[in-house]
Amino acid sequence: MPIKIPNDLPAHATLEAEGVMLMTEDDAIRQDVRPLRIALLNLMPNKERTETQIARLVGATPLQVELSLMSLSSHTPKNTPAEHMLAFYRPWDVVREEKFDGLIVTGAPVELLDFELVTYWRELSKIFEWTRSNVHSTFAICWGAQAALYHFYGVPKYSLDQKAFGVFRHKNLKPSSPYLRGFSDDFSIPVSRWTENRREDLPKSSGLEVLMESEEAGLCLLQDAEKRSLYMFNHIEYDSRSLGEEYWRDRNAGKPIHLPKNYYPNDDPHAAPENRWRSHAHLLFGNWINEVYQTAPFDVRDIGRRSVMGDPIRHAS
């Protein structure tokens, strides 16, 4: 079954051209299933690009998914037209009474700031707490993952002397994980960050488990099985051009930046990069969606009541 997104969302035409199955509101109503409700808290500056990247991966599942775009109530984006935000996003204050099967939290261009100095940190902390009662499973990416780890477990982040930037080889540390079903033992993932988290800071009693790691780029993917949470520090959702656009953006602005490693053929920034992570991106998001489907209550109102009611009713098809 396809993904349901607004017909006039800019991502719609791109995904349709790529062959991603899309669904209208009328078609969704005719199908006798409850769609998975997945919210996207999009903190990236190029919101349209991120919407497309996430919808492309979430929409590849055979399940019916309803993607809701969520924004912060206390922060006004500078790089996205107000018309776009009003047309497609709902502030957290508006949706906070609703429940979702899944929440994706993206990265944000604030990673060199202390968490408490981020202008919307107080609201984001409230959103993290809200996920305990209103979200069945959370998937946080890059700075969003670092922020969640700091909020829930007190795990610090560290600035790097040089930006971790490029496509790096990673190891599958737990092939038996439902999230890594079908993964190779060794695979590539894009990395773009000025900070890192360290394995030795993970509290031993936290339930956090390392699923992916890179010898060169460090920690990549953690899970907290009890809280049904995934923390991805790298950008497996990136499309083929993302690292290149970041490189040319910073270079043209006169900012210190090196060529993304293992990205351009022969390190030629004018050559078309080869995407070596696309299949694993689809695998990871597909496995996450499937795990959400298998474990979420059939009645969305029961989300957050697991500790009171025991194991949730399985999601009926």
Side-chain angles (χ1 to χ4, degrees):
M1 297 177 189
I3 185 173
K4 183 164 76 71
I5 59 176
N7 289 338
D8 46 354
L9 187 72
H12 194 283
T14 301
L15 297 174
E16 191 171 47
E18 293 177 1
V20 176
M21 294 182 66
L22 304 174
M23 173 175 281
T24 66
E25 181 69 30
D26 291 340
D27 289 338
I29 291 173
R30 281 198 296 269
Q31 292 191 343
D32 188 22
V33 296
R34 177 176 85 75
L36 287 178
R37 303 197 70 220
I38 304 296
L40 171 63
L41 178 59
N42 188 356
L43 306 176
M44 293 290 277
N46 189 335
K47 300 206 182 304
E48 292 185 17
R49 166 61 63 84
T50 304
E51 293 157 11
T52 302
Q53 291 171 346
I54 298 298
R56 175 186 293 123
L57 297 171
V58 172
T61 173
L63 305 172
Q64 186 186 131
V65 176
E66 178 183 295
L67 186 64
S68 298
L69 302 180
M70 189 169 77
S71 62
L72 296 165
S73 304
S74 59
H75 176 73
T76 301
K78 298 178 181 178
N79 300 294
T80 305
E83 295 79 10
H84 184 86
M85 299 302 297
L86 288 171
F88 302 114
Y89 282 78
R90 293 188 297 159
W92 176 64
D93 279 349
V94 173
V95 304
R96 62 187 303 174
E97 299 303 322
E98 299 180 21
K99 296 197 174 186
F100 295 91
D101 298 291
L103 171 68
I104 300 169
V105 182
T106 72
V110 293
E111 61 174 321
L112 290 176
L113 291 175
D114 291 341
F115 291 113
E116 290 85 356
L117 296 181
V118 175
T119 57
Y120 49 78
W121 178 250
R122 179 175 296 182
E123 181 182 6
L124 185 59
S125 295
K126 291 180 180 178
I127 292 174
F128 286 145
E129 288 300 310
W130 168 81
T131 63
R132 295 176 182 267
S133 58
N134 288 63
V135 176
H136 180 69
S137 180
T138 302
F139 191 156
I141 301 170
C142 201
W143 182 84
Q146 293 181 329
L149 278 183
Y150 181 75
H151 175 81
F152 286 120
Y153 313 96
V155 176
K157 59 182 173 67
Y158 301 89
S159 297
L160 298 171
D161 295 333
Q162 186 180 59
K163 186 177 185 178
F165 191 44
V167 181
F168 297 93
R169 296 175 66 177
H170 287 70
K171 293 293 185 183
N172 179 349
L173 300 183
K174 192 175 181 185
S176 62
S177 167
Y179 300 112
L180 300 187
R181 189 178 294 113
F183 264 72
S184 305
D185 296 333
D186 181 286
F187 45 89
S188 296
I189 296 179
V191 179
S192 179
R193 49 181 165 79
W194 281 97
T195 55
E196 68 175 2
N197 295 92
R198 297 173 182 171
R199 180 187 277 264
E200 58 266 28
D201 291 325
L202 304 179
K204 291 183 172 56
S205 60
S206 65
L208 290 169
E209 185 175 15
V210 182
L211 302 184
M212 297 180 187
E213 193 169 21
S214 167
E215 291 184 5
E216 192 170 359
L219 293 176
C220 176
L221 181 68
L222 310 181
Q223 75 158 345
D224 184 330
E226 183 178 349
K227 293 184 175 65
R228 297 178 298 277
S229 298
L230 284 180
Y231 306 102
M232 162 63 71
F233 302 122
N234 301 328
H235 285 288
I236 199 169
E237 83 283 2
Y238 269 9
D239 57 38
S240 303
R241 298 173 297 158
S242 298
L243 290 178
E245 290 182 355
E246 291 183 7
Y247 168 72
W248 286 108
R249 176 200 65 199
D250 289 352
R251 177 173 169 173
N252 291 336
K255 296 181 179 179
I257 189 67
H258 58 79
L259 276 174
K261 295 182 179 180
N262 313 311
Y263 178 64
Y264 290 115
N266 301 316
D267 282 340
D268 177 2
H270 300 286
E274 294 181 350
N275 190 312
R276 301 190 301 279
W277 61 91
R278 183 185 298 112
S279 59
H280 286 95
H282 280 280
L283 268 177
L284 180 60
F285 274 81
N287 287 340
W288 176 64
I289 289 290
N290 182 62
E291 190 67 11
V292 172
Y293 176 80
Q294 296 293 336
T295 61
F298 178 75
D299 191 333
V300 71
R301 293 172 297 182
D302 289 337
I303 289 174
R305 298 172 61 188
R306 181 170 184 164
S307 60
V308 176
M309 300 177 63
D311 290 338
I313 301 172
R314 295 306 179 200
H315 202 112
S317 59

